Amino acid sequence: MKFLSRICGIAVFSGPAAWAARSSDSPLSKVGVSGGVTTLSLPMQIAVSLTVMVLLPAVIMSITPFLRITIVLHFLRQALGTQTTPSNQVLVGLALFLSLTIMQPVISDIYHKAWEPMDEGKLSTSQAFDEGSKPMRVFLSRFTREKDVKLFLEITKAPAPKNASELGLDVLVPAYILSELKTGFQIGAMLFLPFLVIDLVVASVTLSIGMVQLPPAMLSAPFKILLFVLVDGWNLVVGSLVKSFY
């Protein structure tokens, strides 16, 4: 249960309700005061919880390693030519648990620095958001390309920061997504190459011996699967993906 609370904590600090709570004019920051700290009424807590539940899948898919992992696993399945094996549910489940493993240190930092003090009444919602966003900004900035950051700084017309720690989430999040898309496609293209060579060799052999009626993909699939199993492909791919975030 404690681990699930940490996951919910990171979602709260990434949701628009937390953004709204930062503003002094927001109704979320005017619902009550307890011990000098602004608190939320029960109806408002329910509204915030529902908002978090709706946005949680988008948060997990966008600002965690889930994005890169799912892209690479999809390319891998296409390169193997196994169509729907493994199924989408298996790939999504694998990507989800790998993402939780990689994000564990970040979730722990957010939980201890923001969620626990806010739960104990030591921090307001806006203060907890500021504290909780710091570990997330550090994580996002590590895997964001400078070119993508400049693009969204120009789009948002925000002043150029002195260092990465001063970048806001409104710039870091879309820049991170763009960077992860490029990285995922680069890794996927590299995975395709050895299997493409097998396809070319099998196609050349079948054409040279006159087996025009037999699809080359049908013959190359067993060889690709055999090669992948012999080199322990799942261990290599998953291990490389996880290590790329450390």
Side-chain angles (χ1 to χ4, degrees), residues 133-147 149-150 153 159-173 175-176:
S133 63
K134 290 178 182 178
M136 181 58 66
R137 287 204 300 266
V138 172
F139 173 80
L140 295 178
S141 61
R142 286 174 55 198
F143 305 103
T144 304
R145 298 183 304 160
E146 184 178 350
K147 183 178 180 181
V149 172
K150 289 182 179 180
L153 284 175
K162 296 180 181 179
N163 50 61
S165 62
E166 297 180 0
L167 287 171
L169 290 177
D170 56 336
V171 173
L172 270 178
V173 169
Y176 170 82

Side-chain angles (χ1 to χ4, degrees), residues 3-4 6 10 17 20 39 41 61 67-68 74 79 112 118 125-126 151 161 171 186 192 194 202 228 243:
F3 183 69
L4 293 177
R6 296 181 182 180
I10 187 176
T39 59
S41 64
M61 290 187 292
L67 178 61
R68 181 192 301 186
H74 173 76
H112 292 301
M118 186 183 70
T125 306
S126 59
L151 171 63
V171 173
Q186 287 176 335
F192 248 106
V202 172
F228 189 72
K243 291 177 183 177

Side-chain angles (χ1 to χ4, degrees), residues 70-83 183-201 217 220 224 227-228 237:
T70 50
I71 292 175
V72 172
L73 293 180
H74 173 76
F75 273 109
L76 176 62
R77 187 173 65 180
Q78 293 295 319
L80 285 172
T82 54
Q83 303 301 324
T183 303
F185 273 75
Q186 287 176 335
I187 298 175
M190 294 299 295
L191 285 174
F192 248 106
L193 292 179
F195 300 108
L196 180 61
V197 172
I198 295 177
D199 284 331
L200 291 175
V201 171
S220 63
K224 291 190 289 186
L227 173 64
F228 189 72
V237 172

Side-chain angles (χ1 to χ4, degrees), residues 15-61:
W19 284 91
R22 299 183 67 187
S23 172
S24 59
D25 297 330
S26 172
L28 296 180
S29 61
K30 295 182 178 180
V31 294
V33 176
S34 176
V37 178
T38 303
T39 59
L40 300 178
S41 64
L42 181 59
M44 199 61 70
Q45 289 178 10
I46 295 175
V48 171
S49 299
L50 291 176
T51 302
V52 170
M53 292 297 292
V54 171
L55 294 177
L56 184 58
V59 170
I60 294 175
M61 290 187 292

